């Protein structure tokens, strides 16, 4: 027997579940779980200070590679987009022509850029530096009435990374800071490029990346990775391996800084 006006518990739970799915919370939980399983420290709904407006903002998932000594700081800032429409990655083999692979790598601190720039051999050691083949120049959602959904997601991830590498309180900044912006989608990702014949080529891909340039304080420009929900476990492991390689590369420089602290 049900009292009039009282929603049965099971029905209420189903309604809440449906609402959660529509809001995208399950996707955020799955992203966080994938990064945790790969060995990252994860915070959900993490906050940062907008470098453009100085207002408090929120990033869906922040995955941090363990940073005990505070010399090398590596983060992945993920914005999650749960929608019903597919995504288009407009790509070209010429996107990064005459654009520094170092700047396309990620958001880097000044010291991190300097160290990597001095070692061109790292192009073979760090795969994410190479950027071969097709690279996107724009991310769009197909069949969408609004054209700014992808832009807002990219800007949110970009601003979070900018703050992580160059926080308002510079005393908190690690000498070698790395932040990688990521957008995770729960619908198909289609890479669109132009064939030499002039025809369009459309390929469904598990992940891709696109160059994002923004007018933030100072210069901002780097590639943002776009990953499908199904590919999350693979990408999280790939991200962990990238973090390990960065730490391996910077181990001598980290040791040098630690020794300088001990001499004080």
């Amino acid at each position: 027997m049900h009292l009039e006006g009282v929603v049965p518990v099971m029905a209420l739970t189903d309604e809440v579940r449906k609402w959660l799915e529509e809001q995208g919370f399950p996707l955020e939980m799955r992203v966080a779980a994938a990064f945790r399983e790969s060995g990252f420290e994860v915070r959900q709904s993490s906050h940062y200070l907008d470098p453009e407006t100085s207002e408090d903002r929120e990033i869906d998932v922040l995955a941090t590679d363990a940073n005990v000594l505070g010399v090398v700081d590596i983060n992945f800032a993920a914005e999650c987009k749960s929608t019903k429409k597919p995504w288009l990655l407009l790509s070209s083999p010429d996107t990064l022509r005459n654009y520094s692979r170092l700047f396309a790598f990620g958001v880097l601190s000044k010291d991190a850029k300097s160290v990597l720039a001095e070692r061109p051999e790292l192009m073979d050691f760090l795969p994410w530096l190479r950027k071969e083949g097709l690279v996107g120049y724009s991310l769009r959602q197909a069949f969408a009435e609004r054209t700014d959904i992808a832009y807002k997601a990219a800007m949110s991830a970009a601003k979070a990374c900018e703050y992580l590498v160059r926080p308002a309180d510079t005393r908190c900044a690690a000498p070698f800071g790395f932040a990688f912006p990521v957008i995770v989608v729960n619908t198909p990702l289609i890479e669109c490029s132009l064939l030499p014949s002039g025809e369009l080529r459309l390929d469904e891909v598990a992940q891709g990346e696109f160059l994002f340039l923004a007018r933030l304080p100072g210069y901002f420009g780097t590639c943002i990775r776009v990953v499908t929900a199904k590919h999350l476990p693979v990408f999280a492991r790939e991200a962990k391996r990238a973090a390990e390689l960065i730490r391996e590369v910077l181990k001598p420089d980290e040791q040098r800084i630690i020794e300088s602290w001990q001499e004080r």
Side-chain angles (χ1 to χ4, degrees), residues 53-252:
T53 65
S54 296
E55 296 179 354
D56 193 46
R57 303 287 187 190
E58 183 179 271
I59 189 73
D60 293 333
V61 178
L62 176 61
T64 303
D65 191 60
N67 179 34
V68 178
L69 299 175
V71 179
V72 182
D73 192 29
I74 304 171
N75 293 281
F76 292 81
E79 186 73 9
C80 306
K81 303 306 295 182
S82 183
T83 62
K84 296 180 180 180
K85 299 173 182 178
W87 296 83
L88 290 176
L89 193 60
L90 305 178
S91 305
S92 168
D94 300 318
T95 299
L96 294 179
R97 180 171 292 185
N98 297 323
Y99 191 86
S100 170
R101 295 298 190 274
L102 188 59
F103 283 89
F105 181 54
V107 184
L108 280 58
S109 67
K110 183 178 179 180
D111 288 342
K113 288 177 184 175
S114 297
V115 168
L116 296 187
E118 293 170 357
R119 303 177 188 174
E121 70 276 10
L122 294 180
M123 193 68 72
D124 293 324
F125 191 72
L126 294 172
W128 282 10
L129 272 172
R130 287 200 292 268
K131 309 293 184 190
E132 297 173 338
L134 292 172
V135 175
Y137 56 85
S138 182
L139 177 69
R140 301 292 179 91
Q141 188 173 41
F143 314 118
E145 296 179 359
R146 293 172 52 196
T147 60
D148 62 346
I149 298 175
Y151 177 81
K152 285 185 175 180
M155 183 61 81
S156 178
K159 285 183 174 181
C161 287
E162 181 75 8
Y163 176 75
L164 288 166
V165 171
R166 288 174 277 276
D169 187 350
T170 56
R171 294 172 298 178
C172 299
F176 303 113
F178 297 80
F180 298 95
V182 181
I183 297 175
V184 182
V185 299
N186 68 331
T187 49
L189 175 64
I190 300 172
E191 186 174 63
C192 176
S193 60
L194 189 67
L195 295 171
S197 63
E199 296 182 5
L200 289 178
R201 176 172 178 171
L202 301 176
D203 295 298
E204 185 173 348
V205 295
Q207 70 169 324
E209 56 186 333
F210 68 101
L211 181 64
F212 183 69
L213 307 175
R215 292 184 178 180
L216 296 178
Y219 173 80
F220 182 91
T222 193
C223 283
I224 296 180
R225 291 187 171 261
V226 187
V227 184
T228 58
K230 291 181 180 180
H231 193 68
L232 268 173
V234 175
F235 173 75
R237 291 193 295 269
E238 182 183 335
K240 182 61 176 178
R241 179 55 181 158
E244 291 171 347
L245 288 173
I246 291 171
R247 292 195 180 281
E248 187 175 341
V249 166
L250 295 177
K251 195 170 184 179

